Amino acid sequence: MCRRILWIPIWLLLASGMAGCNSAENSLLQPTSADPVQTTKDQKKALRPFARLFVQDLDHCTLRWATVRYDDKANQWSCDPWSSVPGFPQLDAQRQKLVQMDVVDHLLLVGVRDDADGTFQSGWVLLDTGVRYIDHGDHGHWNFRRTPEVWDQRLDDQQGNPAHLYVYNGKFFLANDRRNGYTRIDPSRYEKAKDGTIRKDSPRFIVGGGNHITLAVVDDKVGYSCWIDGGGPNKGRVDVTPIREQPVSELAYSFYLPHGGIHGATTCASKVFFAPAAGICWVHADVKLEGKDSKPQVHHIDLGQEQDKPRRTGAFTTHKNYVLFTTGKADQAALAILDAQAAQPQPWFVSLPVPAGTQPVTPILADTAYGPLYAFVFCDKVKPADNVQEVLHVIDLDPDRNGRWDDAKLIKTITVGGSAVEGHFGHHDLAFDSERQYGFITNPADKTIGVLSLKTLEFVATFPFEGKPTALCVVGSRETDD
């Protein structure tokens, strides 16, 4: 579920436990001149916007936004008051949940799920973030003058209770679990005219997958959608469907993995990767749909055993020709990396120390403005519990900067605030400004958002949040010069 920071004043960091530390020993973050403030109207005029944050509030099942500001001269961060998005639907916090969300250009899509298999009210909401990039050739800047507003939505009993959202080739793909298919939404087809009218896309439904769909779309030509079934006739089933201009695209063919329980899929280097209940499976991408006549050869990657069970993963992250995921628990937990360009990809592992009561989640990547390419891995609570220390691991994927990741290593472990994990919800999230200078982290239990410098890997500010912050998206950055 695509795929994806709350802060408190710095002087509270000692109490909340959100302090930077290296992998060897903790080092409490001391108060600095970067302590944040709540922005008044006069301060807003003086401080230039840095980025705009969109944060899901788990307590109230809504989306809130605020513009974060930074004063270079005073080295001071501030955050405008949190606001509701104009036009955002009033949802039932007892019966509905916001699920995955993502941004393409200036448009954000968020999924909505209900507690009745989609028969109450589920679907999606698309909104304009109000942020634009103005390119001047040798430099550019971000414009924050517009107010966010909803441009389109589908909320009813016909949307199939989505959970997973993907972005492939600049298009949104939202899984409609109870309709055994997924919806393609093209953000480039949306435009607001001077008179306020909004030109909209006509979303297309694509048949394929079932129950709890994970999905890979290759070159916007063919989709691989999975069935999560661990047994029965749909165990290990993957449906292959052409992505066409018709309102509904029909299934071309299906094939089966040797294991069921598929809970992850992605594409990289003309291959498609799947995360079943044992190891990893992959096939060569079939953009010409030749598999209708001869089913694709399924390759399996064994990840070893843990407590007499096969090791597995649940979701992937990709960058260039690499596929990353986490696997294992306790002393066997690791970040796994594989080169998808290899004829027979095999992963290598970076061990991750895991505090008791936590487990690593899907890696989040940042190709920073300062050179290093980092993978960030949260160790979140396995279940609600007291006195559990949650951390964020930082892995330098290419320490010698030679373009190969076989020397990737853990360089820092940072203590973070608390999560509020209940099932799939309540996890930490991390997202970056558009220039990859800072990261913003949600701490759901602490009701804070933190600002992490990608240059120093230290927290530089913390903001309070009105509600329980979970998933977030960050749009824009400060002016850049070449």
Side-chain angles (χ1 to χ4, degrees), residues 9 28 34 134 197 330 332 335 354 357 363 442 444 472:
L28 293 178
I134 311 299
T197 350
Q332 289 192 321
L335 171 70
V354 178
T442 58
L472 84 161

Side-chain angles (χ1 to χ4, degrees), residues 8 54 56 71 83 89 96 109 159 225 310 330 344 380-381 469:
I8 56 174
F54 293 82
Q56 292 183 12
D71 184 340
S83 303
Q96 293 168 291
L109 187 79
Q159 302 304 310
S225 47
Q344 295 294 329
D380 282 357
K381 293 178 184 178

